[in-house]
Amino acid sequence: MNAIKAVKSTIGIGNQFKSFNWPYLTIVCLCFMPFMSPAIALCVGLVFSFLGIKHESLHHYTSKVLQASIVLMGFGMSLSAVISSSKNGFIETAISVTVVMLLGIFLGKLLKVEKNISLLIACGTAICGGSAIAAVAPVLNSKNYQNSFALIVVFVLNAIALLLFPFLGHQLGLSQETFGNWAAIAIHDTSSVVGAGAIYGEKALQIATTVKLIRALWIIPLSILIAFMNRSGEKKSIHFPWFILLFVLTIVFANTFPTYQASYEHFSWLGKRGMLIALFLIGSNISVGEIRKSGVKSFALGIILWGVIAVGSLFFLIH
């Protein structure tokens, strides 16, 4: 018996495995079933969080799973559609990024939110949620609690947007193209943009994903600008989102060599299933306690910025 216990301990099987791993493994497997949708995956994750079912080590892979899934989804996208979306979304992106950043700085001062928290929330809202915050944080040299506050605000609003935007889109009678562009501009994180697009429709998914990932490239000039404005003589690294480059390369490869279309469809399907797993992990990592600690003012700032970009971008797209 002692030998068996030793083996279990060595390979990581024990009480914690029985309590946490099997529920997680079950849901991950269900994510490959046809009935599982982005909304269901996120909601199941939220239920896990509220019930206190957590597996901290798995949450470290959430970002990697999401990025790998997005790269795989590139095999199912049209290169001409990507180029068209890029041209159409450039002006909207430039305007929205500038407006949100300036408004975030102004409202942060008005609400007396710490400067770094205001900038991080503004960056997350203007570009691509947690990825933008992670890229800008080292440039700002922000403290851990400031990063956490900004991430929690963006994280909670992402979860709401994933369910709210498709509902509003149907109520407003938005086309697949309009909704895809709206989701890419107004929803913070790539995961929720992809999820909302998937709920709304296949064309909306492709447009939303493409515009959002191209929008994420604004991390680079924004990080350089913030580094210049906050320069203190020390060199600060800028984190380039390499998965975006891989995403573009998969699109180019798939459209250059169409002979292997059957395989590309399998890769694209795997990417969509992986996206469900990422959404489940995201939902299960939300902590009610951390939400409370983030403060009313931080959430007020995030909600106001979100409302401005959501309403403003929709008005711009419709007109």
Side-chain angles (χ1 to χ4, degrees):
M1 293 295 293
N2 290 333
I4 295 175
K5 289 181 179 179
V7 172
K8 286 184 176 181
S9 177
T10 301
I11 61 176
I13 300 176
N15 291 330
Q16 186 178 9
F17 180 84
K18 293 176 181 177
S19 300
F20 299 145
N21 287 31
W22 282 113
Y24 269 76
L25 181 61
T26 300
I27 301 302
V28 168
C29 291
L30 289 177
C31 284
F32 290 90
M33 298 292 105
F35 61 82
M36 186 63 82
S37 69
I40 293 175
L42 180 67
C43 289
V44 172
L46 291 172
V47 171
F48 269 48
S49 176
F50 295 147
L51 293 177
I53 303 176
K54 286 212 174 240
H55 196 293
E56 298 296 339
S57 61
L58 286 178
H59 292 142
H60 295 299
Y61 296 98
T62 302
S63 179
K64 291 182 174 61
V65 171
L66 174 63
Q67 292 175 7
S69 300
I70 289 172
V71 171
L72 288 172
M73 288 171 61
F75 283 104
M77 295 190 175
S78 166
L79 183 60
S80 59
V82 170
I83 295 173
S84 176
S85 298
S86 304
K87 291 179 179 178
N88 295 336
F90 180 81
I91 296 176
E92 292 94 327
T93 299
I95 294 173
S96 63
V97 169
T98 303
V99 170
V100 171
M101 289 304 302
L102 293 175
L103 186 61
I105 294 171
F106 171 74
L107 288 175
K109 291 181 178 179
L110 188 65
L111 296 171
K112 296 182 179 179
V113 177
E114 291 183 39
K115 177 185 175 182
N116 283 353
I117 295 177
S118 299
L119 281 171
L120 290 171
I121 292 176
C123 289
T125 305
I127 303 179
C128 57
S131 300
I133 292 173
V136 172
V139 178
L140 281 175
N141 198 25
S142 53
K143 298 178 181 178
N144 288 333
Y145 81 89
Q146 295 172 331
N147 300 336
S148 297
F149 277 20
L151 286 168
I152 291 168
V153 170
V154 169
F155 202 58
V156 172
L157 295 180
N158 270 327
I160 296 172
L162 179 59
L163 302 175
L164 180 62
F165 269 62
F167 171 76
L168 292 176
H170 286 299
Q171 293 299 311
L172 295 171
L174 300 181
S175 66
Q176 294 275 317
E177 183 177 358
T178 300
F179 180 84
N181 280 288
W182 184 44
I185 294 172
I187 299 179
H188 307 71
D189 212 74
T190 305
S191 58
S192 291
V193 171
V194 174
I199 293 173
Y200 207 76
E202 185 64 31
K203 187 176 180 181
L205 170 63
Q206 290 200 12
I207 293 173
T209 304
T210 303
V211 174
K212 189 62 177 181
L213 292 178
I214 294 172
R215 183 185 184 87
L217 292 174
W218 282 75
I219 291 175
I220 306 304
L222 185 61
S223 297
I224 294 173
L225 178 62
I226 291 176
F228 177 77
M229 294 177 66
N230 291 272
R231 61 191 184 281
S232 58
E234 57 183 279
K235 292 183 178 180
K236 296 177 180 179
S237 60
I238 297 174
H239 298 261
F240 183 81
W242 291 104
F243 76 97
I244 298 176
L245 177 60
L246 293 176
F247 169 76
V248 174
L249 289 176
T250 56
I251 296 175
V252 173
F253 184 87
N255 284 265
T256 304
F257 304 100
T259 308
Y260 309 103
Q261 186 60 39
S263 298
Y264 300 151
E265 291 176 2
H266 293 307
F267 289 142
S268 179
W269 176 86
L270 187 61
K272 292 175 183 177
R273 296 294 105 183
M275 182 263 294
L276 297 183
I277 296 173
L279 290 174
F280 162 64
L281 292 175
I282 287 171
S284 66
N285 198 33
I286 290 179
S287 170
V288 177
E290 290 179 341
I291 293 174
R292 290 174 180 170
K293 291 179 183 178
S294 298
V296 176
K297 291 182 179 180
S298 296
F299 267 101
L301 174 61
I303 292 171
I304 293 172
L305 287 178
W306 187 37
V308 168
I309 194 172
V311 175
S313 60
L314 180 60
F315 178 83
F316 188 90
L317 289 167
I318 291 177
H319 294 80

